Amino acid sequence: MTYRYMTSALDGDICVVTLDRADKRNAIGDAMLEELEQAFASLPSTVKAVVLAANGPHFCAGLDLGEHHAKARSASEFMHMCQAWHRVFDRIQYGGIPVIAALHGAVVGGGLELAAAAHIRVADPSTYFALPEGQKGIFTGGGATVRVARIISASRMVEMMLTGRILDVQAGATLGLVHEVSAPGACLASAMAIAKKVAANASLSNYAIVTSISRIAEMSSAEGLFAESLMAAVVQTGTDVQARLGSFVDKSLPKVALQEA
Ligand code: 1HE
């Protein structure tokens, strides 16, 4: 599949989806959003993890403000556009395939909303985060009030938006936006290494991890425990459970020990 604003390439059982609109800092317009949806909707069944990366000096500058200005969208047009972003980012988060984002430079506005839909975020030391919508006279519309607020807390997000505060990579790590800081220039390599490790897990376990934990976090304890037991029952009947447990029993599986990390 060829795209105008991104590339999608297979590296074994990893698919690398790369935002490729560096001249506009990977700002997301309507056409790019459609391509993003297509890229995640058309993952081959052999893919076990996705790395989401970006070309150019920044990961993503968020909504294409030039297009937004030119289109002068009505309230209902903007609502529909936001719902399209929600649909696409939901597909990324709940598609059942682990997504590892490789971040660098600006991860701002809708770029942060996109990164928040990924399951693991690896960041180059150059990475910084901001939600500058208030300064532009708009508001988040790509899911930040749900995803970013749940990661960093609603209170932190309110302060971040009111003040236009920019979080550097260390602040992002402290708040949970960054899971691993790579060596300078190595976020893609680090993300690929993590993706390979993740891809080696049982696919059904990965499916359960990426689809059920965030949803159960929104349930009551009673509902969550019930949902967990159902999910565990489904995973337990997966095809490679017996073989993997057998490797533990015959002691060929590596132990859970610090040196294995
Ligand atoms: C853009 C965009 C954009 C850059 N839409 N064209 N997002 C923001 O408020 C971020 C606005 N952008 C910036 O603050 C800066 O551009 C960056 C810090 C991201 C990058 O700075 P820099 O110096 O590397 O690049 P630049 O010179 O500012 O921009 C290069 C080009 O990219 C330039 O176009 P050119 O034709 O003049 O070369 C910029 O206009 C263009 N560009 N960012 C369109 N965002 C669902 S709601 C989501 C809400 C939001 O995401 S609001 C947007 C928040």
Side-chain angles (χ1 to χ4, degrees):
M1 190 100 50
T2 51
Y3 298 102
R4 182 163 172 209
Y5 298 117
M6 61 192 55
T7 62
S8 176
L10 288 177
D11 181 342
D13 52 12
I14 315 292
C15 182
V16 184
V17 175
T18 307
L19 309 182
D20 192 23
R21 198 190 180 201
D23 59 330
K24 296 289 182 190
R25 305 310 186 242
N26 297 314
I28 302 173
D30 289 345
M32 188 164 164
L33 188 77
E34 272 176 35
E35 290 192 356
L36 200 53
E37 181 165 36
Q38 191 59 37
F40 278 88
S42 60
L43 291 174
S45 58
T46 51
V47 167
K48 294 197 166 157
V50 173
V51 168
L52 177 63
N55 285 335
H58 300 285
F59 177 74
C60 180
L63 175 69
D64 184 333
L65 294 170
E67 179 181 86
H68 188 52
H69 183 254
K71 286 195 168 178
R73 294 176 172 101
S74 67
S76 92
E77 285 168 343
F78 197 53
M79 182 187 72
H80 285 299
M81 189 212 79
C82 292
Q83 288 170 352
W85 281 53
H86 297 162
R87 186 183 69 239
V88 177
F89 292 4
D90 255 20
R91 180 182 275 281
I92 293 171
Q93 184 174 5
Y94 293 112
I97 306 289
V99 178
I100 295 94
L103 308 177
H104 69 283
V107 182
V108 300
L112 175 50
E113 294 178 307
L114 172 60
H119 306 103
I120 300 179
R121 286 170 293 277
V122 181
D124 184 83
S126 65
T127 305
Y128 62 92
F129 304 95
L131 291 168
E133 282 84 349
Q135 288 73 42
K136 305 282 185 318
I138 54 177
F139 188 61
T140 59
T145 56
V146 172
R147 292 193 181 89
V148 176
R150 283 180 185 161
I151 295 169
I152 71 172
S153 87
S155 164
R156 293 269 187 187
M157 182 176 158
V158 169
E159 189 272 349
M160 196 175 166
M161 289 198 74
L162 286 176
T163 61
R165 184 185 296 282
I166 294 169
L167 304 175
D168 66 13
V169 74
Q170 287 307 336
T174 303
L175 290 175
L177 290 172
V178 172
H179 297 105
E180 181 171 310
V181 181
S182 74
C187 67
L188 183 54
S190 295
M192 285 301 290
I194 292 173
K196 290 205 165 100
K197 199 171 181 181
V198 166
N201 295 339
S203 298
L204 201 53
S205 295
N206 278 348
Y207 177 87
I209 291 164
V210 301
T211 59
S212 69
I213 295 175
S214 301
R215 294 207 191 280
I216 289 173
E218 293 164 23
M219 296 178 188
S220 69
S221 295
E223 289 166 328
L225 293 173
F226 181 66
E228 183 189 74
S229 71
L230 294 180
M231 192 76 249
V234 171
V235 173
Q236 160 63 28
T237 49
T239 49
D240 51 3
V241 171
Q242 280 305 96
R244 284 174 185 258
L245 291 179
S247 305
F248 173 77
V249 171
D250 70 19
K251 301 196 186 303
S252 60
L253 201 68
K255 287 190 183 180
V256 181
L258 270 179
Q259 62 269 25
E260 307 289 350

